Amino acid sequence: PTHEVCVCECQGGSMSHRTTLSSFLLALLCSGLVEAAKFTQNDLLRLGDGLTPTCSAQLSTFPKYVLEVHSKPSCIFARLKKSKKDEIAWLALSEFIGSSNTTLPANTDRAAAAAAAHEQARAILKSGVSPVVAHWWYLGPFVIGKHELDGDPTYAAPHFSPAAVAPDASLPSELTGSVTWQQLQSSGPAVTIAPRVDWNDLVSTLGSMPITEHQGTLWAAIAVLQAGPVVVQCQGAGSVYVGTHLLAADQYSRGSFRTAVTLPSGLHQVRIRARVKVCRQSHALLTHAAIRAKGKFHVHSPPHQSGPSRWARYLMW
């Protein structure tokens, strides 16, 4: 057969291979020697050099700018320059690079770059799901009725949702005059809401304790690296939105209520309509990937009982 010469350059290293082979083996050898392009962290960050730096370090954690990566893409790169151990930002960057609407430098392998950013997120997030939320944003406080969730202007025209309120927007509040989005930092699963309100003055002026109850919205984003069931536990609230799913939460923080929801891979919003009394209250959110049982069904006793459950005889497995 006719012989040809193939020079295969391995893009992942400096070694080149020059081999004389039969033509029918040519494609096989080249495909085996050429490695996929490898992007380092700095290579990925340089993809944002052409963007106008219009995002501050604080604004870079605003949920809208990672959930909607094209709304302000410079925020993704600003967030990564602040901390390279941010799985939310790496996953957002993967989605941004992989989108056909994103213009990349010439000769950039879009699929390889998106996969490299996704691997950066995977290296940080061993469990595949954000276990806790570090960056929360809170919009409040607003007045609230004794048994209702009312008086929150974000659920009325023209917004109809807190997610539609811009980070620099100012809304009226009877408690403080006006409110804007505030960033709350969490060192663990719990986040504490402590608005700057003179509660003693309000109680002494109005002669009523119900004025110390107020409401607001907690908003954040979580990362899911692989599609599948995710178990959500939210304490201190009646309900929680994860993505578009409305889930039951643990209002009285008993620690025994969890809800499973199936989520696709990617970034998902977490939104809690918080009801708070007096000046501070903690809301805790924990998520983890559900473990699929294989052929086994376990019946556990309620935590407030000792010994086997009195209902166990009615259960068959």
Side-chain angles (χ1 to χ4, degrees):
T2 303
H3 289 72
E4 297 181 7
V5 175
C6 170
V7 178
C8 296
E9 296 288 339
C10 294
Q11 299 180 19
S14 59
M15 183 181 296
S16 64
H17 302 268
R18 186 180 183 92
T19 311
T20 302
L21 287 176
S22 302
S23 58
F24 73 95
L25 290 177
L26 182 64
L28 179 62
L29 176 66
C30 290
S31 63
L33 290 176
V34 177
E35 298 178 359
K38 295 181 179 179
F39 290 82
T40 65
Q41 288 183 346
N42 291 332
D43 292 335
L44 294 170
L45 293 178
R46 277 194 290 270
L47 295 178
D49 289 347
L51 297 174
T52 304
T54 59
C55 189
S56 64
Q58 180 182 8
L59 198 60
S60 65
T61 63
F62 192 64
K64 179 181 177 67
Y65 300 143
V66 291
L67 294 168
E68 302 174 15
V69 292
H70 285 91
S71 58
K72 207 175 186 70
S74 62
C75 282
I76 302 173
F77 293 94
R79 185 165 172 168
L80 284 172
K81 288 179 181 178
K82 181 180 179 182
S83 174
K84 294 182 180 180
K85 295 183 178 181
D86 189 335
E87 76 280 358
I88 300 289
W90 282 118
L91 194 55
L93 181 60
S94 176
E95 293 186 4
F96 176 72
I97 294 173
S99 172
S100 59
N101 296 325
T102 302
T103 302
L104 298 177
N107 301 322
T108 300
D109 188 334
R110 184 185 301 275
H118 193 277
E119 285 304 312
Q120 293 290 340
R122 185 177 296 278
I124 300 169
L125 204 58
K126 303 296 184 182
S127 65
V129 179
S130 299
V132 297
V133 177
H135 303 286
W136 288 95
W137 284 73
Y138 179 70
L139 186 60
F142 300 107
V143 294
I144 189 172
K146 186 172 180 59
H147 299 292
E148 307 87 16
L149 283 170
D150 55 9
D152 188 336
T154 62
Y155 289 90
H159 307 291
F160 297 108
S161 171
V165 180
D168 58 348
S170 178
L171 299 178
S173 170
E174 294 183 29
L175 294 174
T176 59
S178 64
V179 298
T180 59
W181 283 105
Q182 310 165 50
Q183 186 179 11
L184 303 180
Q185 197 73 18
S186 173
S187 58
V191 60
T192 300
I193 300 171
R196 296 179 180 178
V197 178
D198 190 345
W199 300 108
N200 291 330
D201 180 66
L202 286 175
V203 171
S204 61
T205 301
L206 301 175
S208 174
M209 284 300 292
I211 192 61
T212 59
E213 292 190 58
H214 55 94
Q215 67 176 322
T217 297
L218 284 166
W219 196 25
I222 61 170
V224 177
L225 298 184
Q226 184 176 357
V230 175
V231 175
V232 180
Q233 181 183 24
C234 179
Q235 299 182 16
S239 60
V240 55
Y241 272 99
V242 178
T244 58
H245 302 276
L246 177 60
L247 308 179
D250 188 356
Q251 177 74 64
Y252 300 104
S253 303
R254 295 178 179 177
S256 58
F257 295 97
R258 298 170 178 84
T259 305
V261 59
T262 300
L263 297 174
S265 60
L267 295 169
H268 303 274
Q269 74 158 337
V270 174
R271 185 157 49 88
I272 302 173
R273 198 169 184 183
R275 178 172 184 151
V276 186
K277 188 174 183 180
V278 192
C279 61
R280 63 180 62 238
Q281 180 172 329
S282 295
H283 291 72
L285 180 80
L286 291 168
T287 60
H288 62 87
I291 300 175
R292 297 183 178 90
K294 296 183 178 180
K296 294 183 179 180
F297 179 74
H298 298 277
V299 178
H300 297 278
S301 301
H304 60 275
Q305 290 185 348
S306 59
S309 170
R310 58 180 176 177
W311 306 107
R313 65 179 182 270
Y314 299 108
L315 300 174
M316 299 178 64
W317 64 92

